Amino acid sequence: MCCSISSKLSIVYSAQSYSAYTTSNYLCAMQRTEQERIRRESLAALRALGIEPYPAAEFTVTHRSKRLAAEFKDGLAVTLAGRIMSRRIMGKASFAEIQDSEGTFQLYLNRDELCPGEDKALYNTVFKKLLDRGDFIGISGETFTTQTGEQSVMVKELTVLSKSLKPLPAVKVDEDGKVHDAFADPELRYRMRYVDLVVNPGVKETFEARSKVMQTIRTSFDGAGWLEVDTPVLQAIPGGAAARPFVTHHNALDIPLYLRIANELYLKRLIVGGFEGVYEFSRNFRNEGMDRTHNPEFTVMELYVAYKDYHWMMQTTENLLSDICQAVHGDTKANLNGTEIDFAPPYRRVTMRDAILEHTGVDIDGKSEAELRAACEQVGIQTDDSMGKGKLIDELFGEKCEHHYVQPTFIMDYPVEMSPLTKVHRDNPAYTERFELMINGTEVANAYSELNDPDDQRQRFEDQLKLGERGDDEAMFIDQDFLRALEYGMPPTSGIGIGIDRLVMMLTNQTSIQEVLLFPQMRPEVFDQGPDEKGLQALGVSEAWTPHLVGAGFDRPEALEGLSPGGLREKMNGYRKKNKLDIPALTLEEVETWLSARN
RNA sequence: GACCUCUUAGCUCAGCUGGUUAGAGCAUCUCACUUUUAAUGAGAGGGUCCUGGGUUCGAGUCCCAGAGGGGUCACCA
């Protein structure tokens, strides 16, 4: 019985190959690697056996790998589904690793257990020959423990759920958990995240941690009675921050629109409207450089709560971060590049003045722009005329202080010039009630006692405009509607923005933002257009020669441009000889016809 | 945007001062094997050496230009 199926199969094979080797399928086949061709032949062979490689029906599992391992005992009837990640075939018995959403589990396939009757094709042909690493299968069977003590499932039934046509990278993990031949090229990993997730252990965990971070925030804020909201991504005035926006165009209104650089001004309008607390996970877009900590689109969680100030916000923040770290690690401590970061409150609070004083010896208090410029130059910071007081102080802090704050630290009381949306400090009008949370030398959050004095806000916007005229191309636009909203009255409010991507980096020990974004921005990939055999034939290329022209690299009419007839004829006849083609050699006239048709 | 650097088989990588037919491990294919686990043993196939020019008797290797990636810097509330 088994033999008769194999012989039926071999007929299928040859029939398939024969029909494939005629026209367009052959051309596609030329583009594929050997391994892909073999997998497509297996696909056809499965169909020939009456097995649909992409079945529509639901497949219901009873277990997933991780829980099964935890609750394991011998003799359980289980149904699992997942991807075949490895196979160890030993004649009439085999072991395989199946990978589902939780992890992997070992399968034991015994020919006579899987095929108790006369027909052994499911084991001998389907499993051993036609299935590959990467294919999805569903199995039912009984749990048992092998002689070497490995938890396994003795497979009694096997269902093909999806055939994989491209081979996965051959990553192997040894007994010590050491990864061999890792799929490590960042370009390939980010462009094909789906492969990265399948093949590299640990990648999933990063994104599960990311989800936990967001869940913890939601649970905490919802518990406090604050409302999660959605505000416009397409904005006529890109406000709330200073950055170069992406511009697009709305056809019906015939106006330019900008992708938001921030959502701050909209959330404040909602506080004006009477919500006590609102928050949003805001995808922001900034048309600026990309590097290890910047992606053109990134996520900021913004929260605004009425009747609060920035001291309250500091407490709220440190408690929240501590909860988040607990949720991710089960502990308030996280390891970052060998340094232990402790998220347990309270965090150190340092004023910007003290920070700069401590690390540069410069006291910014009461200094004029000229004095600050001199101070910058003195500590080796280059300045130019477009830089105002705020920018100069920002440079001092960014260059000389920022990197010192490794453990979570609130840097507070920023100079008024660098904080146009922040209320002035209750004790000193030169400063504002603003803090940034620094972790590992990077800014993770930015918060204020929000400016709710409409006249002061208008004045600050105008000061920004003046900076813009001096050449600071990131000064803010004036949002008249936002000012009108403030004139209706906004209660005292504290707000914060937390950079979710950077926070996740800190919590997952990643040094690149690309590692915490599922699909980081990349230059678009250029795909081969593939051969254009009809285009070639339109030039007069015979059906017999078309595949060989393609095979030699002249796969579309454009590829013939500017070639000399003699040269092309010589090349193709050489190809004919090398590949021992049983077709007439090309004549010069024939080649000339093609080329003149093209040119 | 500047500089440095990388690109060789499906994956990870060797390849010397330029020199026969470009190699290895895994993966793939064939055969053997009924409790293995980086399974094992025997055999086989698989390459646009990123692309395009140039130097040379001869280029994976040297030169020029380009593409894509990574790093450092610049930019970045």
Side-chain angles (χ1 to χ4, degrees):
Chain A
M1 198 61 183
C2 133
C3 296
S4 78
I5 289 213
S6 334
S7 66
K8 214 160 83 190
L9 264 181
S10 66
I11 293 166
V12 170
Y13 270 127
S14 55
Q16 184 64 27
S17 348
Y18 186 77
S19 72
Y21 278 19
T22 49
T23 53
S24 65
N25 286 344
Y26 174 71
L27 298 184
C28 291
M30 291 287 299
Q31 303 296 308
R32 295 194 192 109
T33 67
E34 182 193 24
Q35 293 191 40
E36 289 174 80
R37 284 200 301 273
I38 289 164
R39 281 171 182 237
R40 280 182 185 270
E41 283 169 9
S42 300
L43 180 78
L46 282 171
R47 289 207 165 105
L49 279 175
I51 295 170
E52 171 52 48
Y54 302 104
E58 175 187 24
F59 188 88
T60 310
V61 301
T62 60
H63 291 76
R64 289 184 186 81
S65 56
K66 201 168 155 191
R67 235 190 75 198
L68 178 56
E71 299 171 356
F72 189 85
K73 61 179 182 209
D74 284 359
L76 293 173
V78 298
T79 301
L80 299 173
R83 224 187 247 280
I84 300 174
M85 291 307 285
S86 70
R87 292 187 305 162
R88 297 180 287 279
I89 297 175
M90 297 165 300
K92 297 179 186 67
S94 305
F95 288 92
E97 230 73 50
I98 192 174
Q99 176 171 296
D100 63 17
S101 60
E102 293 184 347
T104 61
F105 211 89
Q106 176 166 282
L107 306 180
Y108 175 68
L109 294 99
N110 181 303
R111 187 193 66 183
D112 298 326
E113 293 283 344
L114 185 62
C115 311
E118 284 296 294
D119 183 357
K120 306 296 185 191
L122 185 59
Y123 180 77
N124 284 336
T125 309
V126 176
F127 177 74
K128 277 173 69 175
K129 303 282 178 198
L130 303 181
L131 290 182
D132 293 287
R133 177 177 148 85
D135 292 349
F136 282 91
I137 57 169
I139 60 98
S140 291
E142 196 181 302
T143 54
F144 75 106
T145 306
T146 63
Q147 286 172 4
T148 52
E150 181 84 11
Q151 300 177 341
S152 308
V153 177
M154 167 87 72
V155 177
K156 302 278 175 67
E157 284 170 51
L158 185 154
T159 311
V160 177
L161 295 179
S162 182
K163 181 79 192 147
S164 158
L165 297 177
K166 282 182 178 291
L168 289 168
V171 179
K172 291 212 163 188
V173 183
D174 68 17
E175 228 168 316
D176 309 324
K178 213 175 128 199
V179 179
H180 297 259
D181 301 330
F183 179 60
D185 183 335
E187 175 171 10
L188 295 176
R189 286 186 49 226
Y190 302 149
R191 285 195 196 283
M192 298 193 291
R193 184 67 91 182
Y194 38 91
V195 174
D196 188 32
L197 285 162
V198 169
V199 133
N200 285 332
V203 177
K204 256 188 184 162
E205 279 84 338
T206 301
F207 293 101
E208 285 164 357
R210 186 181 172 112
S211 172
K212 261 188 197 149
V213 168
M214 295 175 69
Q215 264 175 40
T216 306
I217 295 174
R218 280 206 173 93
T219 308
S220 164
F221 290 2
D222 292 349
W226 303 326
L227 193 72
E228 181 168 10
V229 296
D230 290 299
T231 64
V233 173
L234 283 175
Q235 302 179 348
I237 297 169
R244 273 222 317 263
F246 285 93
V247 193
T248 184
H249 184 262
H250 190 276
N251 288 339
L253 296 176
D254 192 24
I255 52 164
L257 285 176
Y258 303 87
L259 270 64
R260 70 174 165 206
I261 55 175
N263 62 346
E264 170 156 358
L265 302 188
Y266 283 95
L267 292 184
K268 285 184 188 172
R269 284 172 169 96
L270 295 176
I271 296 294
V272 170
F275 291 110
E276 187 164 322
V278 288
Y279 72 97
E280 178 174 17
F281 287 94
S282 173
R283 187 69 64 86
N284 294 344
F285 304 84
R286 297 189 182 174
N287 203 344
E288 283 160 358
M290 300 164 58
D291 61 32
R292 216 184 320 138
T293 53
H294 296 84
N295 193 65
E297 56 182 294
F298 60 102
T299 305
V300 175
M301 194 295 304
E302 298 248 355
L303 166 73
Y304 291 80
V305 183
Y307 314 118
K308 304 297 185 189
D309 66 5
Y310 77 143
H311 292 294
W312 174 87
M313 189 60 89
M314 280 185 239
Q315 276 181 19
T316 305
T317 304
E318 58 195 6
N319 289 332
L320 178 69
L321 289 196
S322 173
D323 288 349
I324 290 172
C325 190
Q326 278 281 356
V328 173
H329 293 297
D331 185 20
T332 59
K333 296 182 176 72
N335 169 38
L336 183 53
N337 254 329
T339 311
E340 190 175 80
I341 308 285
D342 191 351
F343 285 93
Y347 301 165
R348 223 182 124 201
R349 286 144 166 87
V350 182
T351 66
M352 174 148 281
R353 179 189 171 197
D354 289 345
I356 293 175
L357 190 60
E358 181 188 346
H359 295 291
T360 67
V362 176
D363 186 355
I364 59 171
D365 207 17
K367 288 276 190 309
S368 70
E369 188 178 312
E371 287 169 316
L372 285 170
R373 194 179 306 277
C376 278
E377 297 288 352
Q378 205 185 330
V379 296
I381 296 169
Q382 294 207 337
T383 62
D384 65 69
D385 290 345
S386 77
M387 293 162 77
K389 266 173 90 170
K391 186 86 185 159
L392 290 166
I393 293 168
D394 192 35
E395 286 290 312
L396 277 172
F397 182 75
E399 284 295 308
K400 299 292 171 188
C401 311
E402 204 170 56
H403 59 275
H404 292 290
Y405 300 102
V406 174
Q407 294 300 319
T409 306
F410 294 121
I411 302 296
M412 50 195 285
D413 300 349
Y414 282 57
V416 66
E417 294 83 359
M418 52 197 291
S419 311
L421 301 168
T422 315
K423 191 175 279 196
V424 288
H425 197 279
R426 60 194 80 180
D427 299 326
N428 183 344
Y431 297 102
T432 56
E433 299 209 348
R434 169 181 180 183
F435 72 82
E436 287 194 357
L437 173 61
M438 310 296 307
I439 303 173
N440 197 37
T442 19
E443 172 201 341
V444 171
N446 182 15
Y448 319 139
S449 294
E450 300 295 337
L451 177 53
N452 61 345
D453 175 341
D455 293 336
D456 190 359
Q457 182 66 81
R458 185 179 300 276
Q459 186 58 49
R460 303 273 200 99
F461 276 146
E462 275 162 14
D463 293 345
Q464 286 287 304
L465 267 193
K466 280 184 204 131
L467 279 176
E469 283 156 16
R470 278 171 65 172
D472 185 344
D473 59 357
E474 278 165 6
M476 288 186 186
F477 295 72
I478 294 190
D479 186 332
Q480 296 292 349
D481 175 71
F482 172 65
L483 289 171
R484 179 169 60 192
L486 289 188
E487 285 170 350
Y488 278 94
M490 183 172 90
T493 298
S494 185
I496 188 169
I498 299 177
I500 296 295
D501 310 298
R502 289 186 187 176
L503 178 60
V504 173
M505 285 168 66
M506 311 270 159
L507 289 165
T508 56
N509 195 17
Q510 296 295 343
T511 52
S512 161
I513 197 170
Q514 299 174 108
E515 293 291 345
V516 301
L517 299 171
L518 281 167
F519 302 101
Q521 193 55 244
M522 293 230 139
R523 199 175 285 277
E525 194 172 352
V526 180
F527 282 94
D528 229 343
Q529 291 172 291
D532 176 8
E533 53 151 354
K534 288 201 176 107
L536 289 171
Q537 286 174 6
L539 301 180
V541 178
S542 70
E543 211 168 290
W545 269 102
T546 309
H548 305 302
L549 222 50
V550 170
F554 304 107
D555 60 350
R556 20 187 57 241
E558 296 81 14
L560 300 179
E561 239 159 81
L563 297 175
S564 76
L568 180 57
R569 170 173 174 254
E570 205 171 301
K571 191 152 187 179
M572 287 317 297
N573 281 337
Y575 181 94
R576 169 178 171 271
K577 197 169 170 188
K578 188 180 163 198
N579 291 290
K580 303 190 175 105
L581 299 179
D582 190 19
I583 52 176
L586 284 172
T587 63
L588 194 57
E589 291 72 36
E590 222 175 327
V591 179
E592 276 169 345
T593 319
W594 305 346
L595 294 183
S596 58
R598 175 67 205 164
N599 303 314

